[in-house]
Amino acid sequence: MSKSSGVIADRSEAEAFFKANPDVDSIEMIYTDFGGVPRGKRLRQHEVMAVYDSGRMFPGSITVVDITGQDTVETGLVWEDGDADRSMKPIPGTLVRTPWGGDNAAQFLVDFYELDGTPHDLDPRHVLGGVIDRFTADGLTPVLAVELEFYLVDPRRARDGSLRPARPGYSRDTPRNVEVYGLRELDDFRPFFDALYAATDVQDLPLESAISEFAPGQFELTLRHKPDALRACDDAIMYKRLVKAIAQSQGLEATFMAKPFAEQAGSGMHIHVSVDDTNGKNIFASDDPEGTPALRHAIGGMIGSVGDGFAIFAPHANSYRRFKANSYAPVAPTWGVNNRTVSFRIPAGPPPSRHVEHRACGADA
């Protein structure tokens, strides 16, 4: 069992939450599948307590549904095993209110386990936990931050059925100019961003800076780095769901599609990674802008394995439309210092901040 991901939330966590929030009685239990889609059940308060006691049975086929929610029968996890139940168990620190859902709404994340308590080998979080365990065995701790680009789009389609960027509340005109880093573009959607930051504060998500990106209606916000890769990824999962929900509450629609517009920039997920030793020192830190030998070895490993990872980095047909020369989406397994055209970028900054920005993933990963 992974020592990292195999940690199950204790009943006392749920008891403390409901003591502080006795009115909450509509709670969503969320498992995130390979396609990044949240799936699960909506429960009452007393049902949640039972999950924290002994887990909740759920069909194992949910681990292998496709992006449309259809069973992938070729896996052998549907008819061959009778779509047998596995157990969902709560992830620590994820039971939080969902402000967009009303005054009595909350959510928590879950992991999948076999009935004997073994972590399910197709649960993405358990796979990550196994990787972290290998770092831990070597006395190392990955430090991770996630940046996600997304579009705000008009929920009403154009006459031809196509998507169009969201319009500010004061205007009937669809934005057409790129306006990268434009502050007016942030001001145009201030109610959305104000509600977004307020909701992330409620859920204790470390959301920081926001920018207008390289297309009309495209934005990027940053989640603060932390020396807990599992929690950083949990934050990103919760954040994506929150963005979509807040957008809907504001009469907008948010999409993390890799390429929603053929002639505009694609949306990426940029993962910033460094590694600390047992003393909390960044092993990539160096006065040399190219970092330490450990950093260059790490980049070599990433380059050597990037092709094998594309089923995860670009999981859908639309994902591949993002990769286009001169579009800020990398098209070759390259690296460089202070260079946004490469797959693995070493950002400029002081020596203690030296790290890799992994730029291959789409926002749909």
Side-chain angles (χ1 to χ4, degrees), residues 112-261:
F112 246 98
Y113 291 82
E114 300 292 351
L115 299 187
D116 64 0
T118 305
H120 195 294
D121 59 4
L122 293 180
D123 183 328
R125 196 171 183 275
H126 288 316
V127 174
L128 174 59
V131 173
I132 295 170
D133 288 347
R134 289 158 60 192
F135 276 92
T136 302
D138 289 335
L140 301 172
T141 302
V143 179
L144 198 72
V146 180
E147 290 178 346
L148 280 157
E149 297 169 336
F150 64 91
Y151 277 87
L152 288 178
V153 300
D154 192 330
R156 297 161 297 183
R157 302 299 183 247
R159 289 184 179 181
D160 63 0
S162 61
L163 284 175
R164 53 189 177 183
R167 295 178 292 185
Y170 64 81
S171 175
R172 293 185 177 182
D173 294 329
T174 298
R176 290 178 173 81
N177 295 332
V178 171
E179 301 295 358
V180 65
Y181 299 112
L183 292 176
R184 176 178 173 176
E185 284 59 41
L186 296 176
D187 288 338
D188 282 347
F189 296 99
R190 181 177 291 275
F192 165 78
F193 287 108
D194 286 349
L196 182 64
Y197 279 107
T200 55
D201 286 347
V202 168
Q203 295 196 345
D204 197 27
L205 299 179
L207 190 63
E208 297 190 326
S209 59
I211 62 169
S212 172
E213 265 291 351
F214 201 71
Q218 189 186 39
F219 302 95
E220 179 186 77
L221 288 88
T222 302
L223 292 161
R224 185 170 63 250
H225 67 274
K226 53 181 56 177
D228 183 345
L230 272 173
R231 182 64 209 194
C233 291
D234 291 340
D235 288 349
I237 290 293
M238 293 169 67
Y239 166 71
K240 288 180 77 170
R241 184 165 191 266
L242 191 151
V243 168
K244 292 182 178 183
I246 296 298
Q248 186 178 31
S249 73
Q250 298 285 321
L252 305 167
E253 187 175 351
T255 178
F256 290 89
M257 285 181 67
K259 193 73 169 178
F261 298 99

Side-chain angles (χ1 to χ4, degrees), residues 11 18 25-27 29 41-56 108:
R11 177 187 172 89
F18 288 120
D25 197 35
S26 176
I27 306 99
M29 179 182 72
K41 286 188 176 183
R42 184 170 294 175
L43 306 175
R44 305 292 300 276
Q45 184 178 137
H46 69 277
E47 293 179 287
V48 172
M49 296 309 303
V51 177
Y52 277 75
D53 280 336
S54 56
R56 181 86 178 205
F108 64 99

Side-chain angles (χ1 to χ4, degrees), residues 26-39:
S26 176
I27 306 99
E28 292 183 328
M29 179 182 72
I30 302 171
Y31 171 75
T32 304
D33 68 16
F34 276 134
V37 177
R39 304 187 187 276

